[in-house]
Amino acid sequence: MSIIKSKIKLIVNYFLAKFDLQISSVNNTKTYLDASETIAAAQRRNMTIRHYVEELWGQQGATEKVIKQMQSYGCFSRCDRILEIGAGTGRYLEMTLELAKPNKYDVYEIDKEWTNYLVKTYAPYIIGQTSDGVSLKSTPNNSCKLVHAHGVFVYLPFLSAFGYFSEMMRVCKTNGYIVFDLYTESEFTIEIIQKWFGYPDRYPVVLPKQTVVKYFENSRFRLIGEFLNKYGHSESKYLIFYNEGFSNG
């Protein structure tokens, strides 16, 4: 997914070559895995997209771990409508559909090829919303029981991230959940910074956890859970917020 022109390649070409893949261009910026190439490569390996991408990123089992954590906090109960920012390959979407069984699932994904794949593969539940990179404007206020994003706020600049946070709160129902991961200062120790210097990617953006939590608390979203998950060359932190009654009108 994403909207940021300064995002660096997540995997360099020499690494992707052994998987018979290339990085696609979105808005003249190298941003994400090419959909048709990724799908074809997974089929050649007789693997699901989820398992194939997990192997590619070195994140075997990470998707299931995140989904189980979300399930333990009740995120999938009574979900009539769900929204995901940056659904990409659909590896989180697939498992979320199985557990939550929503009637509608809004997808904001800037890569149109992946959006088309998700809409076709998971019809009739998926609504491929137009992504402008700054808002969730096609989704009504107070309409989604679960709003989530994975691997998105690890590279969005400060104000872009907080702009999305405002939109996520706007569309989230009372008694609903907001879930996403980010890099915080506690995950970027000196040792971790030195580790990242050993790789060519330079995309991580560190957001201040205390400020993020306060921003949600000001709108009556309570932090009910957090956990770490492998992402990139270190770990990102997941935050789970519960809407205690913010008026979205």
Side-chain angles (χ1 to χ4, degrees), residues 14-26:
Y14 77 85
F15 179 81
L16 288 175
K18 67 180 181 179
F19 289 92
D20 194 22
L21 284 176
Q22 63 182 12
I23 293 183
S24 64
S25 179
V26 178

Side-chain angles (χ1 to χ4, degrees), residues 39 63 105 119 154 158 220-221 235 241:
I39 294 165
T63 310
Y105 196 117
V119 170
V154 294
F158 187 92
R220 298 188 65 184
F221 280 77
E235 292 180 311
F241 292 95

Side-chain angles (χ1 to χ4, degrees), residues 32-242:
Y32 204 66
L33 296 176
D34 179 85
S36 58
E37 289 290 333
T38 304
I39 294 165
Q43 291 173 344
R44 287 193 293 271
R45 296 282 302 280
N46 195 29
M47 298 174 72
T48 65
I49 297 293
R50 171 164 61 93
H51 289 107
Y52 180 78
V53 172
E54 284 188 342
E55 179 179 311
L56 177 64
W57 299 124
Q59 291 184 313
Q60 289 90 335
T63 310
E64 185 176 5
K65 172 189 172 182
V66 171
I67 292 296
K68 284 185 175 179
Q69 287 278 1
M70 292 172 64
Q71 185 178 23
S72 72
Y73 286 97
C75 295
F76 304 122
S77 63
R78 300 179 181 179
C79 286
D80 178 65
R81 188 168 185 170
I82 294 174
L83 183 150
E84 183 175 354
I85 303 171
T89 62
R91 60 187 179 122
Y92 292 96
L93 180 153
E94 174 191 25
M95 299 190 73
T96 298
L97 282 176
E98 292 175 358
L99 290 170
K101 297 179 172 57
N103 293 320
K104 296 180 180 180
Y105 196 117
D106 291 24
V107 166
Y108 284 83
E109 168 56 60
I110 203 166
D111 188 311
K112 293 182 179 179
E113 192 175 3
W114 277 118
T115 299
N116 292 338
Y117 165 78
L118 295 175
V119 170
K120 180 179 179 180
T121 302
Y122 299 101
Y125 308 102
I126 305 303
I127 304 171
Q129 303 287 18
T130 300
S131 179
D132 61 11
V134 295
S135 73
L136 307 173
K137 64 181 181 181
S138 297
T139 303
N141 294 356
N142 193 34
S143 61
C144 299
K145 185 66 180 294
L146 171 63
V147 183
H148 62 137
H150 308 272
V152 173
F153 298 110
V154 294
Y155 61 80
L156 291 190
F158 187 92
L159 289 179
S160 296
F162 277 81
Y164 263 125
F165 294 158
S166 295
E167 282 287 88
M168 294 166 85
M169 288 187 281
R170 177 184 65 80
V171 303
C172 185
K173 279 185 173 182
T174 300
N175 301 321
Y177 298 86
I178 292 177
V179 182
F180 58 89
D181 64 325
L182 72 166
Y183 287 133
T184 75
E185 62 276 16
S186 62
E187 281 74 64
F188 267 74
T189 62
I190 299 300
E191 291 75 18
I192 293 299
I193 293 170
Q194 294 295 334
K195 180 180 179 180
W196 274 89
F197 280 146
Y199 298 91
D201 8 354
R202 293 291 187 271
Y203 66 84
V205 171
V206 176
L207 296 176
K209 177 190 169 186
Q210 184 176 1
T211 303
V212 172
V213 172
K214 184 64 176 177
Y215 195 71
F216 279 90
E217 287 179 343
N218 282 350
S219 296
R220 298 188 65 184
F221 280 77
R222 177 167 55 92
L223 180 65
I224 61 171
E226 57 185 275
F227 60 93
L228 294 174
N229 187 57
K230 185 180 186 302
Y231 196 88
H233 307 299
S234 53
E235 292 180 311
S236 63
K237 175 164 287 183
Y238 269 87
L239 302 179
I240 301 177
F241 292 95
Y242 179 74

